[in-house]
Amino acid sequence: MYRARAAVVAEIEAELVAVVASAVQGVRDAIPVYRNLHGPQLADVEAIAYWSLRRLMTLWAGGDPAIDERDHSRFRAIGAARAADGRPLADVLRAYRVASSVFVRHVATKYLDALDPPDIADLSLGVLDAIDAISEEIIGAYIVAREQLTSNRAQAHALLLDDLLAGRHNSPGAVADRARELDLELPSHPNLLVVEPTSAGRSLTDDTVESLVLALGLAPPDRTAPSTTTRNHLCTRREQRAILLLPSTIGRAQVDVACRASGVRGCLVERSTVAGVGSAWRLASEALDTAPDHAFDGRAVLDTGDGQLLALLTARPTADTSEVVRTVLGSLTESANAHILEGLSAFIAAGTATAAASQLHVHPQTLRYRLRRAQELTGRDPRSAWHRLALDTAIQLRQLG
């Protein structure tokens, strides 16, 4: 045991929480994929940093530069875990270099007077040797795990969508790299569909999900060997719900027909971004949690406007009144459609086309034409209780805002 090093290690132990926080912040500042980590992901990074720096100090204080088999085993497990969550290998290895650099600078700056030059040199060399050994174990385990994951395409595709839903991919480059590995061409603005059985007593089987995928005109999951065709959709499960990432060319009408044919109902959030898939999933899932049955009258699929309206009605922290207006009224807010919006507003207030026409001093047929155009442009029938609520709410919010 080196007494000077042991004394420094004892002092660092007392401030290790701050040292680890500084190292993790250095990693987040230097590596884009780590910047938006939060919750369990960030806690995992902090725990690994805490353990790694503590282990490094122990080796340095004892003058033993070699990591043992338990260390090797732990870093193999870390490599396999990073392969599973899709974090790029180069970024993972760089994170260790950045954190180690922050630690060495801290020791050399704060404890220079307490140490001899050989102590600082041994610490630096020990870090280099440890990173070399760590890199070998992480790279080997990462490659093996990635090969195992990609050998089952259905599982690998589902895992990628799971990561997108959880927000584990914050870098477009990382998503592109992983999609390339899996022979995917993900749309830049996908549609996200969440579906569930039409009745609470039914279960959502894999066969039902597969029939839905086929009804949408897409290839079902390939559960065996790598596919020879490039896919542009993903599918995963959450208990009695399925989540599908779809090309933007598959719109609401096509999805509604497919859901009816497959005996499911759902919520479609159109033209999200890959980075916004997690938010789209939460909006759609919460809409299905809270939508009354009559919201599905005449259709099997809710849309983004329904999700935004339900977020507002249930006082969700994410509720956005401007999004309710935009997603419910759509192009009715354009100046060219002002007369249509006026007719719709009058109909909702008056209750009948005749009364609304009289109020606006137009022929009842003119008013009915405007209502038909409003339905065509919004996809909402103002004679339906749910759609009338959505339209009226959006109109009132627009007038208030």
Side-chain angles (χ1 to χ4, degrees):
M1 177 71 72
Y2 293 73
R3 290 185 179 180
R5 298 183 191 181
V8 167
V9 168
E11 290 191 39
I12 295 175
E13 279 282 357
E15 60 174 359
L16 193 54
V17 171
V19 174
V20 168
S22 179
V24 171
Q25 189 58 51
V27 170
R28 300 181 78 182
D29 290 342
I31 307 174
V33 74
Y34 283 83
R35 286 175 191 162
N36 295 323
L37 293 183
H38 59 277
Q41 299 167 18
L42 181 58
D44 184 47
V45 172
E46 291 170 342
I48 291 172
Y50 190 93
W51 171 77
S52 300
L53 294 181
R54 205 169 194 188
R55 187 74 181 108
L56 180 62
M57 288 193 300
T58 300
L59 295 173
W60 175 61
D64 182 4
I67 63 177
D68 60 26
E69 180 53 35
R70 287 180 302 174
D71 300 323
H72 284 275
S73 177
R74 182 152 188 173
F75 284 112
R76 284 195 293 271
I78 290 171
R82 296 294 77 79
D85 66 26
R87 207 168 299 164
L89 179 58
D91 289 338
V92 173
L93 298 178
R94 188 182 175 203
Y96 284 94
R97 296 196 297 272
V98 171
S100 299
S101 176
V102 170
F103 175 67
V104 171
R105 284 196 183 93
H106 176 77
V107 173
T109 301
K110 188 169 181 179
Y111 299 100
L112 185 60
D113 293 340
L115 298 168
D116 293 327
D119 294 320
I120 301 296
D122 282 353
L123 177 61
S124 301
L125 291 172
V127 166
L128 291 175
D129 289 341
I131 287 178
D132 184 56
I134 288 169
S135 298
E136 185 174 346
E137 296 295 354
I138 289 178
I139 290 171
Y142 189 101
I143 291 172
V144 170
R146 292 301 296 160
E147 288 176 349
Q148 291 174 344
L149 287 171
T150 54
S151 66
N152 183 326
R153 286 290 150 145
Q155 181 186 13
H157 292 172
L159 284 172
L160 174 54
L161 183 50
D162 287 336
D163 288 342
L164 293 174
L165 296 176
R168 283 192 283 267
H169 282 299
N170 300 299
S171 164
V175 176
D177 288 344
R178 193 164 173 193
R180 195 178 304 111
E181 287 180 4
L182 299 174
D183 297 320
L184 292 167
E185 286 186 3
L186 297 183
S188 58
H189 290 84
N191 292 345
L192 187 84
L193 173 64
V194 181
V195 299
E196 64 183 12
T198 52
S199 59
R202 289 186 55 201
S203 61
L204 188 67
T205 66
D206 289 340
D207 287 342
T208 300
V209 176
E210 186 163 317
S211 72
L212 173 62
V213 171
L214 289 169
L216 290 168
L218 301 170
D222 184 349
R223 297 183 175 85
T224 54
S227 174
T228 57
T229 59
T230 300
R231 293 174 181 271
N232 58 0
H233 63 282
L234 297 172
C235 180
T236 190
R237 295 285 298 270
R238 289 288 190 280
E239 298 179 350
Q240 288 305 306
R241 285 178 180 164
I243 304 101
L244 292 84
L245 191 75
L246 305 172
S248 57
T249 52
I250 298 180
R252 183 170 45 184
Q254 184 178 353
V255 169
D256 192 82
V257 171
C259 285
R260 290 172 186 266
S262 304
V264 296
R265 67 183 190 180
C267 181
L268 179 71
V269 179
E270 297 186 80
R271 295 195 62 78
S272 175
T273 62
V274 173
V277 164
S279 297
W281 145 247
R282 287 188 291 274
L283 182 71
S285 183
E286 289 168 359
L288 291 177
D289 287 340
T290 56
D293 287 339
H294 70 271
F296 291 95
D297 286 351
R299 59 177 178 165
V301 180
L302 305 178
D303 60 21
T304 310
D306 297 304
Q308 294 291 350
L309 175 64
L310 286 161
L312 179 67
L313 295 176
T314 55
R316 299 278 180 182
T318 54
D320 185 337
T321 55
S322 64
E323 279 298 291
V324 175
V325 174
R326 184 187 69 82
T327 56
V328 172
L329 296 181
S331 61
L332 287 188
T333 60
E334 297 173 4
S335 57
N337 294 322
H339 62 296
I340 298 175
L341 182 59
E342 180 187 48
L344 175 62
S345 181
F347 172 77
I348 291 174
T352 67
T354 302
S358 176
Q359 179 183 324
L360 296 178
H361 306 292
V362 298
H363 194 280
Q365 283 300 104
T366 301
L367 195 286
R368 292 188 182 94
Y369 167 77
R370 293 182 184 181
L371 294 179
R372 286 196 299 272
R373 286 293 294 146
Q375 185 172 348
E376 291 169 1
L377 293 173
T378 65
R380 299 184 183 278
D381 184 350
R383 294 168 299 180
S384 159
W386 176 256
H387 291 313
R388 187 165 57 250
L389 172 64
L391 292 166
D392 191 19
T393 302
I395 291 169
Q396 300 306 317
L397 289 173
R398 182 170 184 265
Q399 292 174 350
L400 291 171

